[in-house]
Amino acid sequence: MAAPVEPPLADPSPAARRPATVPWVAMYHSVGDCSDDPYRITVTPDRLEHQLTWLRRRGLRGVSVAELLDARARSEGRDLVGLTFDDGYTDFLTGALPLLRRFRCNATLFVLPGRLGGDNAWDPLGPRKPLLDADGIRRAAGEGVEIGSHGLTHVDLTRADDALLAAEVTGSRARLAELTGAPVDGFCYPYGTVDARAVEAVRRAGYRYACAIDPGPLTGPHALPRAHVGQQDTAWRLHLKLRLHRWRRRPVEGV
C-alpha cells in the first residue's frame, strides 16, 4: 500500500521565511533492534532511513547542533534541523552513521566519559546496551560528528550535590577534550531534567550550549528544547511534531 501523502505547508509569508526563533532539534538514542525497548529509546535503521528521507523531501537537512547554531548566528539555517544522539551507544557507528553519511547529514553525539566501554546500567528495565569506548568516540569524531558531554555517568543533575555536579559537568568536559583533542562545546542533561542551578553550572563550565527536553521558562542557549524521535514516528507524526514546535516556541534571547 502506498504511503499517505502529507499536506504541504502553506507558502510562508516573508516574516515566516526567517529561521524559527528556537531551532528544531531531534533527540535520538539507540539505532538497532527495538524488539525489547521499554523506554522507547530505539529506532531501527530502516525507520531512521525513512525519517531522514522525510527530512530530505521537505528540503531539510540534519546537522550537528553546533552547525545549526552557527548558521542561525548568520541569520541562516531555515533548512537545517539538529540531530542529536544521547548516551553514545556502540550502534551509533553501525546503525546511524552510515545512514547519516548516505543522506549527507551530520549529528551531535552526547557521550559519557565516565562509562567508556560500559553499558546503560542506569536503566533498570530492558536489555543492556553497550556504550562506545574511547576508540569508538574518536572514530565518530574523526568522521566529523560533533562530540558533546552527557555528563560523566548519567545522573540526574537536579539531585546532585555541589561536588557531584562539578564532576559531571566540568569534569566530563575536560575528559572529553583530552580524549578527542578538540574543544567540547555542547552538553546534554541526563534524563532531560534541568533546573536553574544545573543551567548555571553548565554555563560556568564554558559550554556554548546545552540540550534538555522541555525546559519551559529555562529555555535558552543552555537549555535548548528537543523533540523525542522514536520508532513510531512516521512522516505524519514528524510533520505534526515540527508544526507543534513552530507553534509553541517563543522568541528567546541568544538562540
Side-chain angles (χ1 to χ4, degrees):
M1 182 176 65
V5 177
E6 60 181 283
L9 292 173
D11 184 41
S13 65
R17 292 191 184 102
R18 293 191 297 269
T21 302
V22 179
W24 198 65
V25 180
M27 176 180 66
Y28 287 92
H29 289 78
S30 174
V31 181
D33 178 13
C34 63
S35 58
D36 184 8
D37 188 33
Y39 298 103
R40 297 185 296 174
I41 63 168
T42 308
V43 298
T44 63
D46 182 66
R47 178 61 75 194
L48 178 60
E49 180 180 5
H50 282 81
Q51 291 164 348
L52 295 177
T53 298
W54 176 84
L55 289 178
R56 173 180 286 180
R57 288 176 176 171
R58 295 190 67 81
L60 301 172
R61 183 169 64 89
V63 297
S64 69
V65 179
E67 183 176 345
L68 177 63
L69 295 179
D70 285 343
R72 292 177 60 83
R74 302 189 300 268
S75 298
E76 300 171 357
R78 190 179 187 275
D79 60 337
L80 303 179
V81 300
L83 299 181
T84 63
F85 291 79
D86 291 8
D87 303 330
Y89 296 107
T90 58
D91 59 28
F92 176 82
L93 294 179
T94 57
L97 189 57
L99 288 169
L100 294 174
R101 289 293 163 264
R102 191 203 307 174
F103 283 84
R104 297 183 180 178
C105 292
N106 202 359
T108 299
L109 179 64
F110 291 114
V111 300
L112 298 154
R115 292 188 183 271
L116 297 176
D119 60 31
N120 57 329
W122 61 88
D123 286 335
L125 303 176
R128 298 276 66 86
K129 288 178 172 287
L131 302 174
L132 292 168
D133 59 14
D135 287 341
I137 292 172
R138 282 191 285 261
R139 177 182 164 190
E143 292 282 344
V145 174
E146 182 191 15
I147 304 298
S149 171
H150 202 24
L152 274 176
T153 59
H154 205 288
V155 300
D156 182 346
L157 298 185
T158 65
R159 300 184 178 186
D161 61 26
D162 290 344
L164 181 57
L165 180 61
E168 292 286 332
V169 172
T170 305
S172 65
R173 186 171 191 244
R175 288 178 65 171
L176 281 178
E178 181 179 3
L179 189 156
T180 63
V184 178
D185 290 334
F187 186 85
C188 176
Y189 300 96
Y191 305 104
T193 55
V194 62
D195 59 14
R197 175 170 164 265
V199 170
E200 179 59 18
V202 168
R203 187 192 65 78
R204 286 201 313 264
Y207 292 96
R208 176 187 176 192
Y209 72 87
C211 289
I213 296 178
D214 192 4
L218 293 172
T219 296
H222 292 94
L224 294 171
R226 293 183 296 168
H228 167 72
V229 179
Q231 182 67 11
Q232 302 305 313
D233 285 316
T234 60
W236 266 105
R237 286 172 60 96
L238 289 173
H239 172 78
L240 292 174
K241 285 185 176 185
L242 180 57
R243 291 299 294 265
L244 180 63
H245 172 83
R246 289 175 174 172
W247 176 73
R248 288 180 62 195
R249 303 304 176 190
R250 296 294 181 262
V252 176
E253 184 178 354
V255 179

